[in-house]
Amino acid sequence: MKRYLLIFSLFFVQPINAQEVAPSPEIWSLEDCINYALENNITVKDAVLNTDLAEVDYDRAKSARLPNLFGSASQTFTSGNSIDPITSDFVSEKINSNNLGINSSITLYQGNQLNNQIEQNKLLMEQSIFQEEVEKNNIALNILETYLRALYSKESITIAENNLEASEKEVLRAKARLDAGTIALSDYTEAQSQAATNKFNVITAKNTYEQYIIDLKQLLELSPTQEIEIQTLNKDLDLINLELNKTAIYYKALQILPEVEVSDLSIAINEKELDIAKGAYKPTLSLNGSVGTGYTSINYLSFSDQYNSNFNQRLGLTLTIPIFNRNQTKSVVKTAALNIEKAQIQKQNTEKVIYKNVETAYQNAVSAQEQLLAAKSSQEAAEQSYRLAQKKYELEDLSTTDLVISQNTYTNAQQNYLQAKYLNILYNQLLQFYQGNDIKL
């Protein structure tokens, strides 16, 4: 009976297993990748944490204006000659005493350092917010470049596979012609060599594509086991008209890019640091107060009576006037002034980098557009030439060498067109980014 049950179970289990199909990889668009990376990339997360830390520092700076409050308690056992801690009398016997107290102090004036520190921490918090935007923009641009490289590699696979298919057919034709004695063995081996080269190119193209997918998955912080595919590009984006003014783009970029705000805030932060440093030249005034009581064993009053009679209050002002601190304040002030100049230079450098990026993107966009038009014409001409060569080869009116040369010329034209196409898209997207527009395909 058990044998029949086993056969019965296998009969039903096997078809089920045969129907199991591996899930197809999820298809990601460029917008999907950018949105996901902005939420999950660890560089962005680190920038968000830096903003949170800056907010904590800002709250702490504001709290520095509040008074502090401390409680204290002590229990003391003394023998021999000593001074009673409560009565201050000189005694030579064992003493059991305790003290309770509450102390508080508040800074009334400190050269306006507290207010300047609060304003500086507020500027630091704002700078962290803009720095977070810088990191997000960098990730978005990295996603764009990697995504387009992957698309380029994906289309290169199609070109390589088409060439391999064509060359394998040519090998069969060459074999038939060799058997018929119409071509030499060298022609046949050349056709075989071309097919092997094309097969190698297919493997290389697939590997390159997988490498870019790995780079993309790392930017997205995806699991190594998660399989993804990228969305094929809309054919309407092959040609992009460029009607932009690079000077206008540059000035627009200066207005919207967070790098400029980070530089401006860096100057303001260092100016506040100078104000804080100069505050050390001024006196500090603080208010102090305390209440307390105590008990001693040499006093014959009861515990509660002593706590009532020894209850005391204290209120005082403390004024600290800086006279000479070995030129420490002078050095700090000078350092702060130099840091302002460095921040101003850094801003100039930031603007130079932005100008270079905009100028480079613009010139490359113009060049890529011209190259795209030339590459398109070259590809069409090379395709016609290759189709004609194939027909001649079929009619035994063309050598294998000439056919291989024609195919390689067509392949190079296809690759040049793909490169120009995606460079045109990349640099136009960069110009859109510098104008504050979304990156999208």
Side-chain angles (χ1 to χ4, degrees):
M1 184 64 182
K2 292 182 178 179
R3 181 183 301 174
Y4 290 124
L5 289 174
L6 177 60
I7 295 174
F8 183 77
S9 63
L10 290 175
F11 179 78
F12 281 97
V13 169
Q14 288 178 354
I16 294 175
N17 290 335
Q19 292 176 0
E20 290 181 358
V21 180
S24 59
E26 184 179 357
I27 298 178
W28 292 63
S29 67
L30 176 62
E31 291 80 359
D32 294 335
C33 292
I34 292 177
N35 293 334
Y36 188 88
L38 294 182
E39 294 293 332
N40 297 276
N41 185 270
I42 57 176
T43 302
V44 175
K45 287 184 176 181
D46 185 66
V48 172
L49 289 176
N50 287 335
T51 301
D52 294 338
L53 289 173
E55 291 179 1
V56 172
D57 291 338
Y58 178 50
D59 292 336
R60 182 176 59 188
K62 290 190 293 184
S63 298
R65 290 188 297 192
L66 301 175
N68 57 24
L69 184 65
F70 298 96
S72 62
S74 64
Q75 178 70 46
T76 306
F77 298 95
T78 307
S79 63
N81 296 327
S82 63
I83 297 177
D84 186 281
I86 303 298
T87 64
S88 298
D89 294 336
F90 184 80
V91 296
S92 56
E93 58 182 283
K94 294 181 179 180
I95 303 174
N96 174 21
S97 63
N98 59 55
N99 288 278
L100 294 176
I102 296 177
N103 303 278
S104 179
S105 65
I106 183 173
T107 301
L108 301 177
Y109 180 75
Q110 196 179 13
N112 209 33
Q113 285 182 316
L114 291 179
N115 290 333
N116 286 326
Q117 186 68 60
I118 292 171
E119 293 176 9
Q120 186 189 51
N121 280 96
K122 183 179 180 181
L123 293 172
L124 286 167
M125 182 182 68
E126 294 173 356
Q127 187 185 49
S128 296
I129 294 173
F130 283 110
Q131 187 61 44
E132 181 182 332
E133 293 300 316
V134 170
E135 299 300 336
K136 288 181 177 179
N137 286 343
N138 291 337
I139 291 298
L141 293 177
N142 287 336
I143 290 285
L144 171 66
E145 183 177 356
T146 306
Y147 194 92
L148 291 178
R149 287 180 181 273
L151 280 175
Y152 170 79
S153 300
K154 190 174 183 180
E155 289 199 41
S156 295
I157 294 175
T158 302
I159 294 175
E161 289 177 339
N162 291 338
N163 287 337
L164 176 60
E165 182 181 357
S167 60
E168 287 177 343
K169 291 180 180 178
E170 290 158 7
V171 169
L172 295 176
R173 293 193 189 98
K175 175 62 176 173
R177 294 173 65 181
L178 177 66
D179 294 339
T182 58
I183 63 171
L185 179 61
S186 59
D187 287 336
Y188 174 66
T189 55
E190 186 169 359
Q192 286 183 314
S193 175
Q194 181 66 16
T197 300
N198 288 340
K199 186 174 183 179
F200 176 84
N201 292 338
V202 169
I203 297 172
T204 301
K206 289 182 177 180
N207 180 66
T208 302
Y209 172 71
E210 292 300 329
Q211 290 296 323
Y212 286 130
I213 291 297
I214 292 173
D215 293 341
L216 188 60
K217 287 169 64 176
Q218 291 206 330
L219 288 171
L220 296 173
E221 308 297 343
L222 296 178
S223 168
T225 59
Q226 183 172 349
E227 298 295 329
I228 66 171
E229 285 285 346
I230 55 176
Q231 193 175 66
T232 304
L233 187 65
N234 189 336
K235 296 298 182 181
D236 295 337
L237 293 176
D238 288 2
L239 291 172
I240 300 176
N241 293 323
L242 183 65
E243 298 178 357
L244 301 171
N245 185 297
K246 62 182 178 181
T247 304
I249 296 174
Y250 169 64
Y251 286 114
K252 180 69 174 180
L254 291 181
Q255 296 175 4
I256 63 173
L257 288 183
E259 289 92 333
V260 180
E261 294 292 342
V262 170
S263 298
D264 288 335
L265 288 170
S266 182
I267 296 174
I269 289 168
N270 282 283
E271 288 174 346
K272 283 299 174 185
E273 186 64 30
L274 178 61
D275 293 337
I276 294 171
K278 289 181 178 180
Y281 285 126
K282 300 177 182 180
T284 301
L285 179 63
S286 59
L287 177 66
N288 309 281
S290 66
V291 294
T293 187
Y295 164 83
T296 179
S297 60
I298 66 172
N299 193 314
Y300 296 104
L301 295 177
S302 66
F303 187 88
S304 60
D305 290 341
Q306 287 195 49
Y307 263 57
N308 289 330
S309 61
N310 291 331
F311 183 75
N312 61 87
Q313 308 88 33
R314 181 180 62 84
L315 186 66
L317 290 172
T318 301
L319 180 64
T320 304
I321 302 174
I323 298 176
F324 182 70
N325 64 350
R326 298 186 295 274
N327 291 327
Q328 296 299 308
T329 301
K330 182 179 179 180
S331 298
V332 173
V333 170
K334 188 174 182 179
T335 299
L338 293 174
N339 284 334
I340 293 175
E341 295 183 19
K342 289 186 64 177
Q344 292 170 340
I345 293 174
Q346 183 59 42
K347 181 185 177 181
Q348 294 177 3
N349 185 64
T350 299
E351 292 176 348
K352 283 178 59 179
V353 170
I354 293 174
Y355 177 77
K356 180 181 178 181
N357 291 341
V358 171
E359 177 77 16
T360 301
Y362 185 86
Q363 294 300 331
N364 287 336
V366 172
S367 176
Q369 187 178 41
E370 295 173 352
Q371 289 175 351
L372 180 61
L373 295 174
K376 188 175 181 64
S377 299
S378 175
Q379 179 184 241
E380 293 173 350
E383 182 180 9
Q384 293 178 359
S385 178
Y386 177 55
R387 300 306 175 207
L388 181 60
Q390 284 181 314
K391 292 180 180 179
K392 286 185 176 181
Y393 187 74
E394 293 172 1
L395 298 174
E396 301 183 4
D397 193 28
L398 190 72
S399 67
T400 304
T401 300
D402 291 335
L403 179 64
V404 169
I405 292 174
S406 179
Q407 186 186 60
N408 290 337
T409 300
Y410 178 44
T411 300
N412 291 333
Q414 287 178 301
Q415 293 291 346
N416 290 338
Y417 174 76
L418 275 184
Q419 183 178 10
K421 167 186 169 181
Y422 283 105
L423 287 177
N424 190 35
I425 295 171
L426 172 62
Y427 292 122
N428 274 277
Q429 286 297 315
L430 288 178
L431 293 179
Q432 294 299 323
F433 166 76
Y434 290 131
Q435 296 176 90
N437 300 324
D438 293 334
I439 297 175
K440 59 182 180 180
L441 298 178

